[in-house]
Amino acid sequence: MNTIGEILKTARNLKKISLSEIERETKIKIEFIKLIEENAWDKLPAFPVVSGFVRNLAIMLDIPPENANAILRRDYPPQKLPINPKPDVKTNFFWSPKLAFGLGVTLLVLMVLSYLGFEYFKFIKPPNLEIFSPKNNGVVLNNKVSVSGRTTTDVFLTINNQPIIIDQEGNFATELQITPETNNLKFIAVSRSGKTTEKIVNINVE
């Protein structure tokens, strides 16, 4: 029983057609034609490509292309398909109540942790202290000086050891009695954690 390669080669020789002529007419490379005639399937492209080559060769050599491809399928070795012991199985994602609950709990925990971290940082941080008046090295014309500024809420503020009232936003404003010998005002803000911020404003009493 002749193979498709032998049939094509015999038909070509009977018609006295060279490989170069077949290559020119079918646009199939000579090396592929030789491999087909030798039934060297392992050196050729995939079966669909080889099937197209055989069909074109059969038409040029006056061989019914259906018969040629039928013989090709008989001669062509079966393909070895790789066995995947763990096939990839794609699962469709869907939004389940369990997943929603888990994400909600995770988000809540992150929010609580962020809040606690912010509060802890604020608790251990030294308080802010801004002094609006008097200005440093400013002139005070009598025995009273107007003092104002802003600090962190919930701190204990003193100016020259005198407690100062702070409103809910951390603002303060008051008048202090001073003597001609007073040459500076010492601001001390102490937070609940014991952190301290101190500032000194020099004044000139006239």
Side-chain angles (χ1 to χ4, degrees):
M1 185 179 296
N2 293 332
T3 64
I4 185 61
E6 293 170 342
I7 293 172
L8 292 173
K9 185 175 183 179
T10 299
R12 180 175 63 80
N13 290 332
L14 288 175
K15 289 181 174 294
K16 298 181 179 180
I17 301 175
S18 67
L19 293 173
S20 299
E21 186 177 353
I22 291 183
E23 180 184 42
R24 185 172 58 255
E25 294 296 327
T26 63
K27 310 302 181 183
I28 301 173
K29 293 182 179 180
I30 290 178
E31 53 264 31
F32 287 157
I33 300 172
K34 289 182 178 180
L35 291 173
I36 292 173
E37 291 183 350
E38 296 170 0
N39 302 299
W41 312 119
D42 57 332
K43 299 178 181 179
L44 284 162
F47 177 80
V49 178
V50 176
S51 177
F53 289 167
V54 169
R55 178 181 179 83
N56 291 338
L57 293 173
I59 292 173
M60 182 174 182
L61 297 173
D62 296 327
I63 299 173
E66 294 78 8
N67 294 344
N69 269 306
I71 299 172
L72 171 65
R73 287 191 291 272
R74 181 200 67 189
D75 296 341
Y76 199 86
Q79 292 180 315
K80 294 181 180 180
L81 298 177
I83 299 176
N84 186 359
K86 295 182 180 180
D88 296 331
V89 179
K90 295 183 178 179
T91 57
N92 293 326
F93 174 81
F94 65 95
W95 189 267
S96 65
K98 184 177 180 180
L99 178 60
F101 176 77
L103 290 176
V105 171
T106 302
L107 181 60
L108 180 61
V109 170
L110 290 176
M111 290 174 62
V112 171
L113 291 177
S114 298
Y115 174 77
L116 292 177
F118 173 77
E119 288 297 319
Y120 177 73
F121 177 76
K122 187 171 69 172
F123 180 75
I124 65 173
K125 180 184 177 182
N128 294 325
L129 180 57
E130 297 178 80
I131 301 170
F132 303 148
S133 65
K135 300 298 183 181
N136 194 40
N137 294 319
V139 176
V140 178
L141 300 178
N142 51 45
N143 60 347
K144 288 185 178 181
V145 59
S146 296
V147 178
S148 64
R150 181 187 298 118
T151 184
T152 307
T153 57
D154 297 330
V155 303
F156 180 71
L157 176 66
T158 61
I159 303 175
N160 288 0
N161 296 322
Q162 298 183 45
I164 304 299
I165 297 175
I166 303 171
D167 66 17
Q168 295 181 350
E169 296 179 354
N171 298 308
F172 60 90
T174 188
E175 285 189 346
L176 297 178
Q177 294 286 342
I178 59 174
T179 66
E181 290 77 22
T182 304
N183 55 18
N184 61 54
L185 300 177
K186 186 175 183 179
F187 295 73
I188 301 178
V190 182
S191 69
R192 289 177 297 169
S193 63
K195 300 296 182 180
T196 302
T197 299
E198 296 185 10
K199 287 189 177 181
I200 295 178
V201 175
N202 296 316
I203 59 174
N204 298 307
V205 181
E206 294 184 359

